[in-house]
Amino acid sequence: MRRTALCLSSLAAVSGKVYFSETFGDGWESRWTASEWKKSDGTQGTWKLSAGKWYGNEEEDKGVQTAEDSRFFGLSAGFESFSNAGKELIIQYQAKYEKDIECGGGYVKIGPKLSDPTTFGDPTPYNVMFGPDKCGYTKRTHLIFNYKGKNVLKKSDLAYKQEGEGTSHVYRLVLKPDNTVRVEIDAEKIY
């Protein structure tokens, strides 16, 4: 089970203000904290920097990659608090699976700043959870919002696009000021 090159590339409002951006260049380990949520039971996985098996430019295409199969993974980075009131908010990142997985996800969670980022895992509170997830025959792109303390999953499943070995996909969620959303994978609107 290898999830590859999860690259949180931007979290920005339409006005052009970038709240968070990461290319996993030099010093990325000082900006990110690996979760130790499953360390005590021996199922915590480790991360490495890699372009993976398939790439255009090895240096430019590097991202974080899970280094082991059948483990739990979590990685978090903090950013300053912000409000998107009256503005569109875009959450976008790129994910590449280098082989089919039986059960796992390549999604992102956006939420409040953690007092101890090493505890990131389940049930870490979040405001938005978005991205591909697969377990057995259940395959979907998650879209979950926290509303009044409850996690609300979109009722119908969104398309799962991680089929095919080694293909990168760009996931984009646009939250609009009127409380509607648009979801795109590789610039194709799926919701």
Side-chain angles (χ1 to χ4, degrees):
M1 175 173 70
R2 184 160 299 189
R3 289 156 292 180
T4 305
L6 173 61
C7 214
L8 184 62
S9 60
S10 67
L11 176 61
V14 171
S15 67
K17 172 125 176 84
V18 175
Y19 296 105
F20 184 84
S21 180
E22 178 64 76
T23 59
F24 294 101
D26 291 339
W28 74 271
E29 289 129 320
S30 67
R31 296 184 298 273
W32 290 82
T33 302
S35 174
E36 296 179 3
W37 166 56
K38 289 289 193 173
K39 190 175 185 177
S40 65
D41 67 12
T43 59
Q44 186 69 52
T46 58
W47 297 91
K48 66 180 182 178
L49 188 66
S50 175
K53 294 184 214 174
W54 302 284
Y55 50 84
N57 178 305
E58 187 172 10
E59 282 306 306
E60 290 179 9
D61 293 346
K62 285 186 177 176
V64 288
Q65 180 182 57
T66 57
E68 306 155 282
D69 293 344
S70 303
R71 297 281 185 230
F72 288 92
F73 297 89
L75 198 60
S76 65
F79 50 88
E80 294 303 314
S81 182
F82 65 90
S83 170
N84 64 310
K87 301 179 266 184
E88 285 189 352
L89 176 71
I90 299 170
I91 300 169
Q92 176 178 301
Y93 71 102
Q94 182 174 333
K96 175 173 71 169
Y97 290 14
E98 291 202 334
K99 64 181 182 178
D100 193 22
I101 59 171
E102 178 60 31
C103 192
Y107 44 81
V108 295
K109 292 180 177 181
I110 309 297
K113 192 168 190 165
L114 301 171
S115 59
D116 179 4
T118 63
T119 63
F120 179 71
D122 191 22
T124 301
Y126 60 87
N127 302 97
V128 178
M129 182 172 136
F130 168 60
D133 190 41
K134 176 184 175 186
C135 202
Y137 293 106
T138 303
K139 304 174 195 178
R140 63 180 159 204
T141 297
H142 271 302
L143 179 57
I144 303 173
F145 294 97
N146 184 288
Y147 180 71
K148 295 185 178 182
K150 294 182 101 175
N151 292 334
V152 181
L153 173 67
K154 183 176 174 326
K155 292 190 187 292
S156 59
D157 286 345
L158 298 176
Y160 179 81
K161 301 281 187 168
Q162 283 300 138
E163 305 290 358
E165 211 169 84
T167 303
S168 291
H169 297 282
V170 175
Y171 291 82
R172 177 183 286 175
L173 171 64
V174 181
L175 303 171
K176 298 181 179 188
D178 64 0
N179 290 328
T180 60
V181 301
R182 185 174 73 240
V183 176
E184 298 174 2
I185 302 174
D186 300 330
E188 175 190 346
K189 181 180 175 183
I190 64 166
Y191 180 72

